[in-house]
Amino acid sequence: MSEFNEFDQQGSVPNRDTGSIISHAFEMYKGVFGYGIVAMIVYLIGGSVIQMLTGFNSASMMEEMRSSGGDFNYWNTPGLSLYMGASSLFGILLSPLYVGLIYMVNKYNTKNPIEFTDLFIGYRQNFVNILIYSFLSGIISTVALMLCVIPIIFVYPLLLLGYPILLFENASATDALSKSFNIAKENYGTFLLTTFLGALISVAGVILCGIGVILTAPFMMIVMYSAYCAFLGKPRQIMYSK
């Protein structure tokens, strides 16, 4: 059973501007990047297993696309539908792990000792609402992607605070979605630029060196935490009675 205790006065809070939030996120990530790598390895291994089980081969699909001369039906790729469904479900089930990384960042910021089991707090704290929120935000993101990709750039900033709100405020999925939307809407320029830069850094591992995505991808979770601190203040530390 979880219990919310008042945190001590240690820790930093960025200003409400993109530069300060991104700088704060960089500073925080230094303390938890090893755990971020663990989360990404779990994600990549799970994705590989799903590909094997569904018979979907992304490399073969890309090769066929290149050799088809533009006459290629993406949706006829063997195993694609099953793979996308299984991947979506896996992504939802993995979302508490990302929440755990946010929890670790807060412990690092408030100078509290970090334990490996902290990475799994999302499976013990507000678990159902985290899954529901992941499902709802996934639907919103999918609809935005179906509208020719570009809209996702403008929609995702509205979701930026959802996971920290679920964790630190023990909110319901719909309350987290609504609160994140309202705060981002009132400060949209800052949220848009912060999300864009955070996403750019997160995918930098793919651009610079494919496997490097393991190092950079988790950075977006840290940006969520830093943005939460900037606009809602440093959260209370969640303590568990074991």
Side-chain angles (χ1 to χ4, degrees):
M1 179 177 178
S2 65
E3 160 185 324
F4 286 80
N5 292 331
E6 289 298 330
F7 59 88
D8 56 29
Q9 295 303 309
Q10 300 185 84
S12 58
V13 174
N15 296 323
R16 293 184 175 185
D17 62 83
T18 296
S20 182
I21 293 171
I22 294 296
S23 295
H24 185 266
F26 267 121
E27 188 64 29
M28 294 298 101
Y29 192 42
K30 289 190 299 186
V32 299
F33 76 93
Y35 300 103
I37 291 173
V38 171
M40 280 306 302
I41 289 175
V42 171
Y43 176 81
L44 293 174
I45 291 175
S48 298
V49 170
I50 290 172
Q51 280 202 41
M52 287 189 295
L53 293 177
T54 58
F56 172 69
N57 190 315
S58 57
S60 295
M61 184 190 72
M62 294 301 294
E63 182 61 33
E64 287 184 32
M65 288 178 66
R66 283 194 294 266
S67 61
S68 64
D71 185 21
F72 178 78
N73 191 332
Y74 179 83
W75 296 106
N76 285 338
T77 304
L80 177 63
S81 298
L82 183 59
Y83 170 75
M84 291 185 67
S87 293
S88 297
L89 178 60
F90 179 65
I92 291 172
L93 293 176
L94 208 62
S95 58
L97 207 62
Y98 308 144
V99 172
L101 188 59
I102 294 172
Y103 173 59
M104 287 178 149
V105 175
N106 190 52
K107 291 189 76 173
Y108 176 75
N109 190 26
T110 54
K111 308 300 187 293
N112 282 288
I114 297 174
E115 300 176 6
F116 181 76
T117 54
D118 293 335
L119 189 60
F120 306 100
I121 190 176
Y123 293 98
R124 306 188 300 267
Q125 166 70 33
N126 213 8
F127 173 67
V128 174
N129 279 302
I130 291 172
L131 295 189
I132 295 174
Y133 178 85
S134 179
F135 175 72
L136 294 176
S137 60
I139 290 176
I140 294 170
S141 299
T142 299
V143 171
L145 283 169
M146 290 174 66
L147 298 174
C148 299
V149 179
I150 292 179
I152 190 64
I153 299 173
F154 301 102
V155 170
Y156 198 78
L158 301 172
L159 307 173
L160 193 65
L161 299 182
Y163 284 131
I165 291 172
L166 286 166
L167 174 65
F168 298 119
E169 301 179 21
N170 209 29
S172 68
T174 52
D175 285 344
L177 194 62
S178 175
K179 186 169 184 177
S180 179
F181 179 87
N182 289 330
I183 294 173
K185 181 181 63 175
E186 294 173 2
N187 307 275
Y188 188 70
T190 299
F191 273 75
L192 178 62
L193 186 55
T194 298
T195 302
F196 177 75
L197 290 178
L200 199 63
I201 294 168
S202 293
V203 301
V206 175
I207 298 172
L208 299 176
C209 177
I211 196 66
V213 70
I214 295 177
L215 299 175
T216 59
F219 184 72
M220 198 65 199
M221 300 299 113
I222 318 304
V223 171
M224 292 178 182
Y225 172 77
S226 295
Y228 181 95
C229 289
F231 288 91
L232 289 169
K234 188 172 57 177
R236 294 179 298 176
Q237 181 62 54
I238 304 171
M239 303 297 293
Y240 266 88
S241 52
K242 300 182 180 181

